[in-house]
Amino acid sequence: MDNFFEKAWEVACLIPVGRVTSYGAIARYLGAVRSARMVGWAMNNCSAAKVQVPAHRVVNARGVLTGKHHFPGNYVMEELLASEGVLVKDNQIVDFEKVFWDPVEELGIH
């Protein structure tokens, strides 16, 4: 696939249930280190994907739910994460390092 959004969606679909990654980690995996914001745009537009993309599993580099406003309610992202066992407090992932999934480490170099 040549489309950056589609590549970002593919990586997001590989994030295991109960784990999260960051926009920057997906960008790094795709070889576009400075494109974290583009990954965010991709997650915001994932309704255009042909598959259901678990965009709720993608957060910022500190584990903050910066994309929560793009869900159909202020707490939907947090509720989806909680349903998978990921704890959130004050819009931030609790024990972020423990639930962080790094595609470069898990999938190898792209």
Side-chain angles (χ1 to χ4, degrees):
M1 301 190 141
D2 293 328
N3 184 302
F4 185 86
F5 280 19
E6 290 173 349
K7 290 177 181 179
W9 296 336
E10 280 183 2
V11 177
C13 286
L14 298 173
I15 306 166
V17 171
R19 304 286 299 276
V20 297
T21 197
S22 67
Y23 305 106
I26 290 176
R28 245 185 334 278
Y29 176 75
L30 295 176
V33 176
R34 299 188 188 274
S35 298
R37 184 163 286 155
M38 271 190 70
V39 173
W41 294 334
M43 295 304 115
N44 185 33
N45 288 292
C46 68
S47 61
K50 294 176 182 159
V51 297
Q52 188 162 354
V53 178
H56 63 283
R57 296 182 191 146
V58 186
V59 297
N60 83 358
R62 295 183 323 274
V64 177
L65 311 187
T66 52
K68 75 175 195 167
H69 301 294
H70 298 288
F71 286 82
N74 278 345
Y75 299 100
V76 172
M77 186 175 186
E78 182 175 341
E79 290 167 355
L80 289 168
L81 288 166
S83 75
E84 297 181 357
V86 177
L87 300 176
V88 177
K89 182 177 181 185
D90 298 325
N91 292 316
Q92 188 164 13
I93 306 288
V94 176
D95 293 328
F96 180 56
E97 302 79 27
K98 289 183 182 177
V99 297
F100 184 74
W101 180 84
D102 186 344
V104 172
E105 288 181 19
E106 301 292 336
L107 304 174
I109 306 249
H110 182 64

